[in-house]
Amino acid sequence: MLVIGAGQAGLAAAFHLTRAGTDYSIVDANRRVGDNWRARYDALTLFTPRQFSALPGLELAGNREGYSDRDEFADYLEAYASRLRLPVETGKRLVRLCRRDDGSFEATFEDGGKRQASEVIVTTGAFQVPSVPTVAGKFGSDVLHLTTDIFRNARQLPDGPVLVAGDGASGRDIAVECRQAQPVILATGKPRKLLPERILGKSIWWWLHLTGALTASPDSWLGRRVRATDAFPDRDRSLESLKRKDIRIAPRLVDADETTAQFANGSSAEVRTVIWTVGYRDDSSWLDVPLATNDDGTFRHVAGVSPVKGLYFVGRPWQRNRASALIMGAGPDSELIVQRLLADRES
């Protein structure tokens, strides 16, 4: 039994595999557990308060109503693996997973090592490869391009205007960070609804959990509403707040010419740096198993169960509900996947 990835989803799966008494190992490409978080931008804080950001079996220390920062949560994951004595092997970058003639899986690693497994749980996460749209190629060589996996802080920026393309939670955070050093333009996309951070003294996440919005299935009426809205809490990141911070708000980026960015309303701006925060795509290049991926390279599954016998997923966006891509969903989703794995094994 092999778990691929030692982020929050992989560690939560390990917790439930241990409770079930199953022999398994976890492999992760990073040098340390938590390095996937340490590699994010410096100012990152978790999306959810600490009370909704713990894995099964170990609380996240600190103010339950407050938000863990990047390094705090990375250290929590490392401590989680250590205290629960989970069999994590770091520095094991997977380059190929294939199916053997006997139905088992064979994993090949960058160092040339191989390993066989009867079942595999893929927990590589939803934030693998930052997307960069084709319009990026229309900028000239004088424009510096950064993505969310490269940007760390404003000290990286050369002098000159910064365009942040994409106004999700990360894009807005990065725009605020960059404004400390350079003029900033934030190019928006689809209309976004921001939720109040607190209602009647309670975190909005408490209310969303209470109302069932986080656990509604994707095809339910409530789940469809939550998915269409794609809202996130307003932690001083509304467009009006960003304007007050002297960040220029522009509509969608539609074209470029050398150092000139052109927007959907016909306006334009000269830029020196573009930071792409328009989302992520899956990296499934290593998954050499027929029927395991869709034509576009995304992982094929229904609620985390692959059509390939013995292959499972945890941590996919909307795997079961809105919580699936959040830390709070790692425990419940992995518990169900482990139960399904064991049931499939018996049958």
Side-chain angles (χ1 to χ4, degrees), residues 165-178:
D167 69 326
S170 294
R172 297 185 187 208
D173 281 348
I174 289 173
V176 171
E177 170 70 15
C178 292

Side-chain angles (χ1 to χ4, degrees), residues 194-211:
L194 269 64
L195 304 171
E197 185 179 6
R198 306 184 72 79
I199 298 177
L200 299 177
K202 288 285 192 179
S203 165
I204 187 62
W205 294 104
W206 187 89
W207 290 104
L208 292 172
H209 180 72
L210 179 70
T211 59

